[in-house]
Amino acid sequence: MEHIPERSENEFAFTPIEYTDRWKAAGEEPDAESIVSRYSESVFLRRFGAYLIDYLIVAMLLAGAMFPMIMPEAMQDDWVPNPLPILGVSLAVLFGYFAILESISGFTIGKWVLRIRVVGHDRSVPGIGKLFVRNIIKLVELSFFMLCGIVSTILILVTRKKQRLGDMAAGTFVLKVQDARQPSRGRLVVTYLSFAAVTAAAVIMLIIGIGTLVKEPGHYKTADGQYEIQAPMSWSAAADDYEGELFISNLLGDELVLIGSDDEYTLDGRVTLEEYNDIIADWLPGALEVEHDGGASEKISLNGLPAYRFTMNGYGDGERQAYNVTVTGNEDKYYFIVAWISETDNANWTIEDFRIRWQDKLDHLDGIVGSFKSVRGVVSL
């Protein structure tokens, strides 16, 4: 018998043909369900890796959005977190990132890196309605009720179509890039521009977030250099062209503090602090186009300085303002400190309801005003 030469294993090796190529060779057009049902569980690793990348970017975006909002209040000893703003911003960023990017070409940045795409049954980019459903349900899947995504992970691993609940409801699938219909060149251009914009925004927001954590609370001096006020790390000078002593605000722009002053020359002679308080209480409402609440001024002590305090209220452009005004100083120079918040108004609210609703911010402003003291140092409250 003729000897048959031995062959190595590599000589019998072959190159696998992708599923779409097999069907095309047979003259058929596969759908997404047919393709994904033949994937091994290893496609889950791609999805998991894509989620890690995406959630890292989302975390960077949230760092810049959340830290300036949370940290000023978190520095207070009696701080109690308000979950509604935190939850609202988190859900908006999370939903917006996935829904908007996927609606362009089926990619997020993580999916693009791992070469997978969200598609409809025909392997093309799903409509915005399907992606809305897919990502709304994702928010539910990430809840504690769904074990923070563990249920979704199990479904992807054990179901034939490799779908989580959002995919099942929306009729979407996650395919490898080579198995999906390629989007138009225009969609791809918009995709890459969007990726560049989101990446740049994530880096900027991360820098803002880190800066918020490491930045020391600001010490702002009055223009005459005699007094200073301390504000949280998220505050900054609000107007360089302000002709008074000082004007600062937080990054969100809804909390502001303004300091003005007068001496015997601007007052045409010496007056007592009580008389100066009456002057400011009569002049300031008209200057700011707001209303004095009509109540008597309260006599207080501000870091060892005698002071008076009264409140004002304003309304305009759909927003209501609540003002706390403090008047202090001595016969050489008097100061008025105006601290206020400006929030979108509910037309059914009275000013009392408004102040109760935003009492935490008003208290926060009182804490800033309470830091007003001489740069030479005095006994604090």
Side-chain angles (χ1 to χ4, degrees), residues 3-4 8 17 19 32 58 77 86 121 137 183 213 225-226 229 246 248 263 280 323:
H3 175 70
I4 299 177
S8 67
I17 301 175
Y19 299 119
V58 168
D77 293 336
I86 298 174
H121 194 268
I137 295 179
L213 289 176
Q226 297 299 308
I229 195 169
L246 185 64
I248 59 175
D263 54 27
I280 294 299
Y323 296 79

Short mmCIF file of all heavy atoms in Angstrom, two decimals, residues 3-4 8 17 19 32 58 77 86 121 137 183 213 225-226 229 246 248 263 280 323:
data_model
loop_
_atom_site.label_atom_id
_atom_site.label_comp_id
_atom_site.label_asym_id
_atom_site.label_seq_id
_atom_site.Cartn_x
_atom_site.Cartn_y
_atom_site.Cartn_z
N HIS A 3 2.34 4.72 0.77
CA HIS A 3 2.40 5.48 2.02
C HIS A 3 1.79 6.87 1.83
O HIS A 3 2.08 7.56 0.86
CB HIS A 3 3.87 5.63 2.46
CG HIS A 3 4.03 6.50 3.68
ND1 HIS A 3 3.60 6.11 4.92
CD2 HIS A 3 4.55 7.75 3.81
CE1 HIS A 3 3.85 7.07 5.79
NE2 HIS A 3 4.45 8.08 5.13
N ILE A 4 0.92 7.21 2.77
CA ILE A 4 0.29 8.54 2.74
C ILE A 4 1.06 9.43 3.69
O ILE A 4 1.15 9.14 4.89
CB ILE A 4 -1.18 8.47 3.18
CG1 ILE A 4 -1.96 7.56 2.23
CG2 ILE A 4 -1.80 9.87 3.23
CD1 ILE A 4 -3.41 7.38 2.62
N SER A 8 0.41 18.29 8.81
CA SER A 8 0.22 19.01 10.08
C SER A 8 -1.21 19.52 10.16
O SER A 8 -1.92 19.61 9.17
CB SER A 8 1.20 20.21 10.17
OG SER A 8 0.87 21.17 9.19
N ILE A 17 -16.27 31.65 7.45
CA ILE A 17 -17.00 32.64 6.66
C ILE A 17 -18.07 33.25 7.54
O ILE A 17 -18.78 32.54 8.24
CB ILE A 17 -17.65 31.99 5.42
CG1 ILE A 17 -16.57 31.33 4.55
CG2 ILE A 17 -18.44 33.02 4.62
CD1 ILE A 17 -17.13 30.58 3.38
N TYR A 19 -21.52 34.85 8.81
CA TYR A 19 -22.87 34.38 8.52
C TYR A 19 -23.49 35.14 7.34
O TYR A 19 -24.12 34.56 6.47
CB TYR A 19 -23.76 34.54 9.75
CG TYR A 19 -23.27 33.75 10.93
CD1 TYR A 19 -22.91 34.36 12.11
CD2 TYR A 19 -23.17 32.36 10.84
CE1 TYR A 19 -22.46 33.63 13.19
CE2 TYR A 19 -22.72 31.62 11.93
CZ TYR A 19 -22.36 32.25 13.10
OH TYR A 19 -21.91 31.53 14.16
N ALA A 32 -31.65 40.21 11.40
CA ALA A 32 -30.82 40.30 12.60
C ALA A 32 -31.05 39.13 13.54
O ALA A 32 -30.11 38.61 14.15
CB ALA A 32 -31.12 41.62 13.33
N VAL A 58 -19.90 58.47 30.71
CA VAL A 58 -21.05 59.03 31.42
C VAL A 58 -20.63 59.54 32.80
O VAL A 58 -21.06 60.61 33.24
CB VAL A 58 -22.17 57.99 31.54
CG1 VAL A 58 -23.25 58.46 32.53
CG2 VAL A 58 -22.80 57.71 30.18
N ASP A 77 -22.12 71.37 57.66
CA ASP A 77 -22.19 70.32 58.67
C ASP A 77 -23.56 69.63 58.71
O ASP A 77 -23.64 68.44 58.99
CB ASP A 77 -21.89 70.90 60.05
CG ASP A 77 -20.43 71.37 60.16
OD1 ASP A 77 -19.60 70.85 59.40
OD2 ASP A 77 -20.16 72.25 61.00
N ILE A 86 -30.22 65.22 41.96
CA ILE A 86 -29.17 64.25 41.62
C ILE A 86 -29.71 63.19 40.68
O ILE A 86 -29.09 62.87 39.65
CB ILE A 86 -28.62 63.60 42.92
CG1 ILE A 86 -27.99 64.66 43.82
CG2 ILE A 86 -27.63 62.50 42.58
CD1 ILE A 86 -27.56 64.14 45.17
N HIS A 121 -34.72 44.79 13.20
CA HIS A 121 -34.85 43.43 12.65
C HIS A 121 -34.21 43.30 11.27
O HIS A 121 -33.68 42.25 10.91
CB HIS A 121 -36.33 43.04 12.60
CG HIS A 121 -36.54 41.57 12.38
ND1 HIS A 121 -36.70 41.01 11.13
CD2 HIS A 121 -36.61 40.53 13.27
CE1 HIS A 121 -36.87 39.70 11.26
NE2 HIS A 121 -36.82 39.39 12.55
N ILE A 137 -36.36 51.75 29.08
CA ILE A 137 -36.38 50.51 29.85
C ILE A 137 -35.02 50.22 30.46
O ILE A 137 -34.91 49.62 31.53
CB ILE A 137 -36.86 49.35 28.96
CG1 ILE A 137 -38.32 49.59 28.55
CG2 ILE A 137 -36.73 48.00 29.67
CD1 ILE A 137 -38.90 48.53 27.66
N PRO A 183 -24.56 52.14 7.84
CA PRO A 183 -25.30 53.40 7.69
C PRO A 183 -24.70 54.25 6.58
O PRO A 183 -23.59 53.99 6.11
CB PRO A 183 -25.14 54.06 9.06
CG PRO A 183 -23.89 53.48 9.62
CD PRO A 183 -23.81 52.08 9.10
N LEU A 213 -13.49 69.47 43.43
CA LEU A 213 -13.08 68.72 44.62
C LEU A 213 -11.84 69.30 45.28
O LEU A 213 -11.73 69.30 46.51
CB LEU A 213 -12.82 67.26 44.24
CG LEU A 213 -14.04 66.41 43.89
CD1 LEU A 213 -13.60 65.03 43.44
CD2 LEU A 213 -14.98 66.30 45.08
N GLY A 225 -10.66 96.61 50.11
CA GLY A 225 -9.70 95.75 50.78
C GLY A 225 -9.89 95.62 52.27
O GLY A 225 -9.05 95.02 52.95
N GLN A 226 -10.99 96.16 52.81
CA GLN A 226 -11.18 96.17 54.25
C GLN A 226 -11.87 94.91 54.78
O GLN A 226 -11.62 94.47 55.88
CB GLN A 226 -12.00 97.40 54.66
CG GLN A 226 -11.32 98.72 54.34
CD GLN A 226 -9.99 98.87 55.07
OE1 GLN A 226 -9.91 98.70 56.28
NE2 GLN A 226 -8.94 99.17 54.31
N ILE A 229 -15.43 88.11 52.20
CA ILE A 229 -16.52 87.15 52.37
C ILE A 229 -16.07 85.82 51.80
O ILE A 229 -15.32 85.77 50.81
CB ILE A 229 -17.81 87.68 51.67
CG1 ILE A 229 -19.03 86.90 52.15
CG2 ILE A 229 -17.67 87.62 50.15
CD1 ILE A 229 -20.35 87.54 51.72
N LEU A 246 -18.36 94.36 45.69
CA LEU A 246 -18.16 92.96 45.30
C LEU A 246 -19.45 92.38 44.75
O LEU A 246 -20.54 92.74 45.19
CB LEU A 246 -17.69 92.15 46.53
CG LEU A 246 -17.31 90.68 46.31
CD1 LEU A 246 -16.10 90.58 45.39
CD2 LEU A 246 -17.01 90.02 47.66
N ILE A 248 -20.60 88.37 43.52
CA ILE A 248 -20.23 86.98 43.26
C ILE A 248 -21.48 86.14 43.06
O ILE A 248 -22.58 86.50 43.48
CB ILE A 248 -19.39 86.39 44.42
CG1 ILE A 248 -20.18 86.43 45.74
CG2 ILE A 248 -18.05 87.10 44.55
CD1 ILE A 248 -19.47 85.76 46.91
N ASP A 263 -19.97 106.07 52.40
CA ASP A 263 -19.31 106.75 53.50
C ASP A 263 -19.91 108.15 53.66
O ASP A 263 -20.91 108.48 53.00
CB ASP A 263 -17.79 106.82 53.29
CG ASP A 263 -17.41 107.44 51.96
OD1 ASP A 263 -18.22 108.26 51.43
OD2 ASP A 263 -16.33 107.15 51.43
N ILE A 280 -31.14 102.55 52.95
CA ILE A 280 -31.03 101.41 52.03
C ILE A 280 -32.38 100.75 51.83
O ILE A 280 -32.77 100.39 50.70
CB ILE A 280 -30.00 100.39 52.56
CG1 ILE A 280 -28.60 101.00 52.56
CG2 ILE A 280 -30.02 99.11 51.72
CD1 ILE A 280 -28.10 101.42 51.19
N TYR A 323 -34.93 87.97 48.35
CA TYR A 323 -33.75 88.71 48.75
C TYR A 323 -33.65 88.78 50.28
O TYR A 323 -34.65 89.03 50.96
CB TYR A 323 -33.80 90.15 48.23
CG TYR A 323 -33.79 90.30 46.73
CD1 TYR A 323 -34.96 90.08 45.99
CD2 TYR A 323 -32.64 90.68 46.05
CE1 TYR A 323 -34.97 90.24 44.61
CE2 TYR A 323 -32.64 90.85 44.68
CZ TYR A 323 -33.80 90.62 43.96
OH TYR A 323 -33.81 90.78 42.60
#
